[in-house]
Amino acid sequence: MHISGALKTLSTTFLVLTGHYLYGQQPGHDTLRLDSARVRTLQNVTISAPEYKEVIPSQKLSGDQLKNLNSFSVADAIRYFAGVQVKDYGGIGGLKTVDMRSMGTNHMGVFYDGIQLGNAQNGQIDLGKFSMDNMESISLYNGQKSDIFQPAKDYGSSGTIYLRSRKPVFDSQKTTNFKGVLKTGSFDLIDPSVLIEHRLSKSLSYSFSSEYIYASGRYPFRYRRVLPGTKTVAYDTTAIRENGDIHALRLESGVYGNIRHGFWQAKAYFYDSEKGIPGAVVNNVWRNPQRQWDRNFFLQGSFQKNSVNGHGVQVNAKYASDEMRYLSPGPDELHIDNSFHQQEWYTSVANKYSLSRAIDVDLSTDLQYNSLASNLEGFIYPRRLTALIALAGAAQLGKFKMQASLLGTFVNEGVKRGLTATGEAAVAAPAKHEFTPAIFLSYRPFEQNDFSLRAFYKDIFRMPTFNDLYYTDVGNIRLEPEYTRQYNLGFTYRKNRKGAVLSEWQLQTDAYYNQVTNKIVAVPRGSGMYRWMMMNLGYAEIRGIDAVSDFAFSLPGNLQLNVRASYTYQKAQDFSRRQNPLLEGLSYGGQIPHIPWHSGSLISGIRYRSWQLNYSYIYIGQRYDNSANIAENYQQPWYTHDLSASKAIRLKGYRVKISGEVNNLMNQDYEVVLNYPMPKRNYKLILSVEL
Amino acid sequence: MRKLHLILLVLLAVSCRKDVELFKTGETVVDKPADDGFSGFYLLNEGSMGSNKSTLDYYDFSRGVYQRNIYGMVNPAVPKELGDAGNDLAIYGGRLYAVINVSNKVEVMEARTARRIGQIEIPNCRYIKFDKGFAYVTSYAGPVEVNPDYTQKGYVAKIDTATLKVVDQCVVGYQPDCLEIVDGKIYVVNSGGYMGGGSTNKYERTVSVIDLATFREEKKIDVAYNLHHIRADKRGGLWVTSRGDYKASPSRLYFIDKTLQKVTDTLPVAVSNYYLDDDLLYLYSTEWSYVTYSNVITYGIVDTKTHQVISRVLITDGTDKQIEIPYGIMVHPVTKDIYITEAGNYVSPGLLYCFNKEGKKKWVVRTGDVPGHFALLPK
């Protein structure tokens, strides 16, 4: 692979910066005082530090609120955020992807314990794979995270989700934590998990967690249609969803260390699954035979030394290996047996300098190498080297806070001939470099009121995926990146009312305008059905409002009630030009597929001593499965009510919790994705024991 | 607490949603009533794979009315309507047959009303032809061999149209597509379309000849890579199209002499689809250009008697410049009006254009998704 001069410079910068850290650090002095600060840092290292108030619209679910949600996977929990649409193919093993503010799944960055989860092959992160079992918090940022002390990659998406797994925290004298959970219920679910945390020394702890999931994935679904006008039943069919089974094993282990003024951690993650792909339910086909195997492994480490003498450094590194096998067994449909193996090497150094008490700057440099191999016929083995360099600044000037960043991205690609026939060209996409800015402002006009205004502008892009560029017969190496431009204006208001029934409430609302240009779309190519070429032809504009409000009620009789409500309005329009003016007339300005104009959610929990009762609700309004917003493409609104109750018991030093859940209480038949029916009413029973 | 009650009440109140209705048939007046020997024609929309949006449209000549999506309202009791990925349509013996590929069936309806009679189960079915009370349907889903790679030949199913039962099967080549019946022989084109994506020489390049009496494959005629259509002209000469390998070998039109049973002529025109009317073969072609990174669309007429390309134009009023992907083609045997469908981007509604014999647009109407296959309904 040819590495351009710019890249060489960058790698040199990278090495210099790393070296600077390795040899340039001076031991600190004030041990005791900083020690306590360090412990606090460790506990709060999740998401942004509390003292620096967010300048960027964000939403977070954590602690009890997250635990009490009737969510099986991370994707289930993300549905409660405003401005987010989850594409859910149904069932425990079904693919679940997230789209933020209608810019497309590929514009979303997902970070697991601080480092991004990659998928250079198709850009999609299946959030259905990430269990809630071990999750401590889920945060969502529009634009990017407020904290500038972060890797360059954290600046590189239109929106980001940060998943934070549980970290060891020990009560006073304890050195070991144990937790065992067993979940069972509908879909023949059996889901045992264990967590062990051990304190090795004052500054070193260790954790291990494992989970096994089996579900048959069988559930009844129903299609019922009535005749227009008379409303008499046309057909009413109930069937069982088949081939939705999943067997999955997750092993996760981490080492967490504290050092003077900082911390480090290392983590290994392994996920192995086999599942059925239930497929679309179409006329005369009630069962599909396709299977998928996934084996994901990653090893990652972080090191952070906080600001001493105005300089802090953060180092991150990761290796990831993702294997996937897809089997369409035949004989009734096309036989496919393809395996893919992706590998990623990643390393990052971030340096933060405090120029004054009010101004911080950050320089981050990342290097990443991706490769993809496959047994697919005609496959070209692509490799990509990405260098990212981010320069960011944060300032607090009286009532103003601001953050600005500039990200430089340098991409070089190479290909190796795989199973292509001789004589065919295997050519890599040309090198690319992009510079993208972002600016965030926050203004708090009143001293006595917790009210602030905020605004941001961000330019960013997503690279075409390996599939977009190189997939046999479909890929197009001429593809340019797909750009997004975001404008956001919003406010937050928080009110504390000690002693009142409504003891605390807050509201945050943002209005936004996004443009997606150079959108990568599949264009029919030549004669014959299902032959495509990826092209930069689409253009979309999204206008929307996100609103989230939290209420805390202190009711008489020791009752504590918490309510969170969210609402999203999106006018997400497809303004792609078409060659045929009549066809353009059908889709131009139409709402983007699967994006509802109105959606919302509600979470509420009421606690009485050791009892907890939760109710949650999701509403997805009408939408279309195609930009041609005609009756044939109309999709009904759907909404689900979920209930759960739990009781905590102390038993000889064990903390036992028993919960029961009912999901889709009203037994609604609905689809998120056309022809992928979702489960009707279903149940879960959870027993957890902690020591 | 009152607030909570209120919220819950509101939520429960909005929890009643309307029943989902079947699609109403849409009617559009597009032309003056006409009486030219046919009642009308059906148009089968394929729908993109997995969408279950294969639909049936009908044009009524006597009223000049285009009816969109008629199957559901005529057959409301059929769960999930017509099905997924329609691939061929034909009328035989007062019945309308729709080959629905992903739904693994041939839907059998009354030709006058589109009322369902029944269905024939054939996995991965492709095209249909008839002879003496039997229907012959090609399918990709023949016997599997693993040696060491997985391969699967296709077959032709023989169906008794009286009982709608498959009575016999004849294995042919890989991924057989269109078929034609002439003088006691079935000619089936083999495409190898699943095999050749990686390397050209894995495409099939033959036409299988099946003897109707024994229903066994007699021989294979070598033609070209990746064959698609076959149709006989008035004299029984067979016109075969190849898709080519989308790389070095382009799409072409071949002529097989039925007596010599071999290719005797190759016409230097690319053909994606065609329609034979009287002695004329109306064709169009869509080819991808790696120079302009766009589709190059051409039209033409071949005289089947002289084997000459007599015209490279079908549309004369400039409408051709707007059509993104021509997909289905038919010529009215009496008026010589030319019908061409526009499939657009394969995932959204298409259009049906009607041109007069001079190639001037008469009308255009919106269809279902991926309109592709016509069947003329005689009076």
Side-chain angles (χ1 to χ4, degrees), chain A residues 650-682:
Chain A
R650 276 209 167 267
L651 250 176
K652 292 181 186 161
Y654 291 91
R655 285 183 310 235
V656 179
K657 194 172 139 188
I658 303 168
S659 335
E661 291 181 5
V662 188
N663 299 312
N664 194 2
L665 188 69
M666 307 300 278
N667 213 15
Q668 190 169 87
D669 301 302
Y670 69 105
E671 288 178 345
V672 179
V673 180
L674 184 68
N675 299 323
Y676 285 79
M678 300 293 288
K680 294 166 83 84
R681 186 185 303 127
N682 59 87

Side-chain angles (χ1 to χ4, degrees), chain B residues 95-122:
Chain B
R95 287 171 170 187
L96 176 67
Y97 294 80
V99 182
I100 313 295
N101 177 257
V102 176
S103 288
N104 298 326
K105 66 161 188 184
V106 178
E107 181 77 13
V108 186
M109 296 159 277
E110 293 174 4
R112 297 262 142 227
T113 59
R115 190 165 293 126
R116 177 186 161 95
I117 295 167
Q119 68 184 37
I120 307 157
E121 303 269 351
I122 299 174

Side-chain angles (χ1 to χ4, degrees), chain A residues 129-315:
Chain A
K129 273 197 334 207
F130 293 92
S131 158
M132 287 297 294
D133 180 62
N134 197 30
M135 215 52 76
E136 193 137 282
S137 73
I138 301 172
S139 315
L140 177 149
Y141 288 86
N142 295 112
Q144 61 205 35
K145 191 164 60 150
S146 291
D147 189 358
I148 61 162
F149 192 23
Q150 61 184 5
K153 272 193 107 177
D154 292 53
Y155 296 94
S157 306
S158 304
T160 37
I161 287 177
Y162 288 87
L163 310 177
R164 205 32 100 161
S165 70
R166 177 172 158 155
K167 281 184 150 199
V169 176
F170 299 95
D171 299 341
S172 56
Q173 297 307 310
K174 267 177 84 180
T175 56
T176 304
N177 292 332
F178 170 84
K179 188 181 179 190
V181 181
L182 180 67
K183 297 178 188 164
T184 179
S186 303
F187 327 118
D188 304 311
L189 174 73
I190 297 169
D191 174 12
S193 68
V194 293
L195 170 78
I196 299 158
E197 293 169 334
H198 188 64
R199 180 152 71 179
L200 300 167
S201 77
K202 244 188 102 174
S203 57
L204 194 65
S205 55
Y206 163 85
S207 83
F208 171 82
S209 101
S210 176
E211 180 179 14
Y212 180 79
I213 299 169
Y214 167 77
S216 71
R218 288 166 59 86
Y219 56 82
F221 63 92
R222 179 180 178 192
Y223 283 103
R224 181 176 184 271
R225 294 289 180 272
V226 300
L227 290 170
T230 63
K231 308 283 180 203
T232 50
V233 175
Y235 61 82
D236 187 348
T237 304
T238 299
I240 301 285
R241 197 71 168 126
E242 301 268 13
N243 195 39
D245 61 305
I246 179 163
H247 311 250
L249 173 71
R250 175 176 61 82
L251 297 170
E252 217 169 330
S253 184
V255 186
Y256 306 84
N258 296 331
I259 53 152
R260 189 168 295 156
H261 317 312
F263 67 91
W264 63 273
Q265 65 180 58
K267 169 151 222 166
Y269 178 98
F270 177 78
Y271 177 86
D272 187 67
S273 79
E274 176 187 345
K275 64 186 178 191
I277 301 174
V281 174
V282 301
N283 170 277
N284 209 33
V285 181
W286 301 90
R287 184 183 201 286
N288 289 290
Q290 285 77 13
R291 310 285 301 171
Q292 184 176 322
W293 291 260
D294 284 284
R295 185 172 292 156
N296 310 107
F297 170 76
F298 67 73
L299 191 65
Q300 68 182 37
S302 302
F303 176 97
Q304 183 171 321
K305 190 113 178 169
N306 288 316
S307 210
V308 193
N309 305 329
H311 175 221
V313 69
Q314 193 189 98
V315 181

Side-chain angles (χ1 to χ4, degrees), chain A residues 231 235 525 626 633 637 669, chain B residues 17 21 53 81 290 347:
Chain A
K231 308 283 180 203
Y235 61 82
R525 171 165 62 140
N626 191 282
N633 299 327
D669 301 302
Chain B
R17 58 177 190 170
E21 294 180 353
K53 284 185 185 172
E81 300 87 33
Y290 279 96
V347 293

Side-chain angles (χ1 to χ4, degrees), chain A residues 288-592:
Chain A
N288 289 290
Q290 285 77 13
R291 310 285 301 171
Q292 184 176 322
W293 291 260
D294 284 284
R295 185 172 292 156
N296 310 107
F297 170 76
F298 67 73
L299 191 65
Q300 68 182 37
S302 302
F303 176 97
Q304 183 171 321
K305 190 113 178 169
N306 288 316
S307 210
V308 193
N309 305 329
H311 175 221
V313 69
Q314 193 189 98
V315 181
N316 287 288
K318 179 176 183 174
Y319 166 75
S321 160
D322 298 305
E323 290 169 80
M324 193 271 266
R325 178 184 168 213
Y326 172 83
L327 175 70
S328 177
D332 285 358
E333 59 291 301
L334 171 60
H335 171 87
I336 303 171
D337 189 352
N338 287 331
S339 302
F340 298 91
H341 185 201
Q342 290 193 64
Q343 290 185 87
E344 179 172 309
W345 298 87
Y346 168 73
T347 170
S348 161
V349 178
N351 284 274
K352 187 171 94 169
Y353 303 92
S354 299
L355 300 182
S356 72
R357 271 189 71 85
I359 298 172
D360 290 335
V361 292
D362 170 85
L363 180 68
S364 302
T365 322
D366 295 11
L367 264 184
Q368 181 175 310
Y369 177 78
N370 290 88
S371 67
L372 175 63
S374 172
N375 71 342
L376 186 72
E377 194 141 357
F379 194 76
I380 294 168
Y381 291 73
R383 295 166 295 168
R384 174 182 288 174
L385 182 64
T386 311
L388 299 116
I389 182 155
L391 183 65
Q396 179 157 14
L397 305 166
K399 293 172 173 174
F400 279 101
K401 273 184 199 149
M402 58 181 71
Q403 181 186 322
S405 61
L406 181 68
L407 176 68
T409 309
F410 306 85
V411 181
N412 267 256
E413 298 194 4
V415 294
K416 198 173 73 187
R417 179 178 309 289
L419 303 164
T420 43
T422 45
E424 280 169 42
V427 184
K432 291 179 183 67
H433 57 88
E434 299 284 339
F435 295 93
T436 45
I439 182 155
F440 298 79
L441 295 170
S442 158
Y443 174 61
R444 187 177 167 175
F446 315 112
E447 208 55 60
Q448 63 279 28
N449 261 338
D450 198 351
F451 172 79
S452 62
L453 290 164
R454 61 195 180 191
F456 82 79
Y457 168 85
K458 178 165 180 166
D459 265 357
I460 194 67
F461 64 94
R462 70 134 172 133
M463 276 295 293
T465 64
F466 282 159
N467 279 358
D468 294 337
L469 292 164
Y470 303 111
Y471 200 86
T472 308
D473 231 31
V474 178
N476 176 3
I477 58 163
R478 292 194 186 186
L479 282 179
E480 293 291 319
E482 179 179 304
Y483 300 92
T484 67
R485 175 167 291 180
Q486 303 177 68
Y487 304 85
N488 183 96
L489 188 66
F491 71 89
T492 63
Y493 179 68
R494 184 200 298 265
K495 184 103 182 138
N496 263 307
R497 302 168 48 185
K498 279 263 148 52
V501 172
L502 177 57
S503 54
E504 192 183 341
W505 68 276
Q506 65 164 321
L507 172 67
Q508 62 169 354
T509 304
D510 288 274
Y512 56 87
Y513 171 63
N514 301 337
Q515 291 169 298
V516 185
T517 53
N518 246 2
K519 213 173 165 168
I520 297 169
V521 292
V523 175
R525 171 165 62 140
S527 59
M529 190 67 189
Y530 310 120
R531 290 183 50 77
W532 309 88
M533 172 63 84
M534 304 309 293
M535 299 281 278
N536 288 106
L537 280 179
Y539 172 62
E541 290 179 13
I542 302 113
R543 291 162 177 83
I545 293 167
D546 294 347
V548 186
S549 193
D550 291 276
F551 307 89
F553 300 90
S554 298
L555 302 169
N558 224 354
L559 275 169
Q560 192 67 38
L561 169 68
N562 289 298
V563 179
R564 166 181 284 205
S566 82
Y567 167 77
T568 304
Y569 170 79
Q570 286 186 93
K571 190 175 177 185
Q573 292 171 287
D574 182 354
F575 286 112
S576 305
R577 302 307 305 250
R578 296 286 297 269
Q579 185 184 328
N580 193 323
L582 294 171
L583 294 181
E584 185 176 288
L586 287 172
S587 64
Y588 192 79
Q591 186 84 349
I592 290 172

Side-chain angles (χ1 to χ4, degrees), chain B residues 330-351:
Chain B
M330 182 182 76
V331 177
H332 192 293
V334 178
T335 63
K336 306 298 176 190
D337 283 348
I338 303 164
Y339 297 87
I340 291 174
T341 65
E342 152 77 295
N345 61 6
Y346 289 157
V347 293
S348 54
L351 302 168

